[in-house]
């Protein structure tokens, strides 16, 4: 069996943390969107694609839905990469993942709602309660906490 060199091992651990955290958070967030809306995955994909194509995305086909789904997972991987890379410099983020994860999830929620969406073709929107509460809780525990836990699991406490 070939052993991984000491130089390559950390890169592999970082990549594992990013991919595991980003994909898991993406799946959980996508499932919450489907469950709370009652809509099928392709319709949720079109809703995400509204960021690129505006309201016309909802009349698009499978290709538009897939663009939305790929965009969603790309965004989640970027958020995971950001947390993992910062946690390499500040290991306390991994040590206290059960606190920093939900805080990161809250930051992601507000960043998406108040920065990304207003700049996109979809425009600003804020769901009404109780959907607002489900989305916010989902970002705390199924996005932020999952990303932080994946970083802790892959990279350890320090």
């Amino acid at each position: 069996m070939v052993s991984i060199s000491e130089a390559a091992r950390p890169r592999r651990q970082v990549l594992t943390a990013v991919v595991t955290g980003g994909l898991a958070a993406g799946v959980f967030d996508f499932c919450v969107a489907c469950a709370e809306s009652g809509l099928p995955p392709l319709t949720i994909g079109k809703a995400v694609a509204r960021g690129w194509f505006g309201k016309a995305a909802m009349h698009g086909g499978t290709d538009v839905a897939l663009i939305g789904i790929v965009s969603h997972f790309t965004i989640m991987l970027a958020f995971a990469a950001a947390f993992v890379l910062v946690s390499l410099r500040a290991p306390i983020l991994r040590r206290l993942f059960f606190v920093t994860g939900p805080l990161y999830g809250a930051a992601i929620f507000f960043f998406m709602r108040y920065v990304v969406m207003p700049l996109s073709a979809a425009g600003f929107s804020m769901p009404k309660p109780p959907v607002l509460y489900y989305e916010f809780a989902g970002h705390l525990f199924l996005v932020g906490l999952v990303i932080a836990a994946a970083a802790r699991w892959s990279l350890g406490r320090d």
Side-chain angles (χ1 to χ4, degrees):
M1 184 167 149
V2 178
S3 67
I4 301 170
S5 72
E6 283 302 312
R9 185 170 167 225
R11 274 187 257 139
R12 185 174 213 175
Q13 289 173 320
V14 169
L15 185 61
T16 299
V18 170
V19 171
T20 302
L23 293 181
V27 167
F28 290 142
D29 188 47
F30 204 84
C31 289
V32 166
C34 290
E36 74 186 7
S37 68
L39 298 172
L42 289 179
T43 304
I44 297 298
K46 290 178 186 180
V48 174
R50 283 182 26 210
W52 295 110
F53 306 114
K55 291 179 183 178
M58 297 311 288
H59 302 291
T62 305
D63 56 340
V64 173
L66 291 176
I67 289 169
I69 292 168
V70 168
S71 297
H72 170 74
F73 281 96
T74 301
I75 290 166
M76 284 297 173
L77 287 165
F79 281 130
F83 185 91
V84 167
L85 293 175
V86 171
S87 80
L88 292 173
R89 295 279 185 174
I92 193 163
L93 296 176
R94 293 191 314 273
R95 248 179 268 130
L96 299 176
F97 76 99
F98 53 89
V99 174
T100 61
L103 290 173
Y104 189 57
I108 290 170
F109 177 84
F110 289 114
F111 181 75
M112 291 301 296
R113 286 289 172 184
Y114 290 105
V115 177
V116 174
M117 288 182 70
L119 294 173
S120 76
F124 178 79
S125 69
M126 187 64 79
K128 304 262 187 265
V131 173
L132 172 64
Y133 306 138
Y134 300 142
E135 281 191 24
F136 188 67
H139 277 80
L140 293 179
F141 302 110
L142 299 176
V143 175
L145 183 59
V146 167
I147 289 170
R152 166 76 176 259
W153 172 74
S154 298
L155 301 172
R157 294 181 63 174
D158 297 318

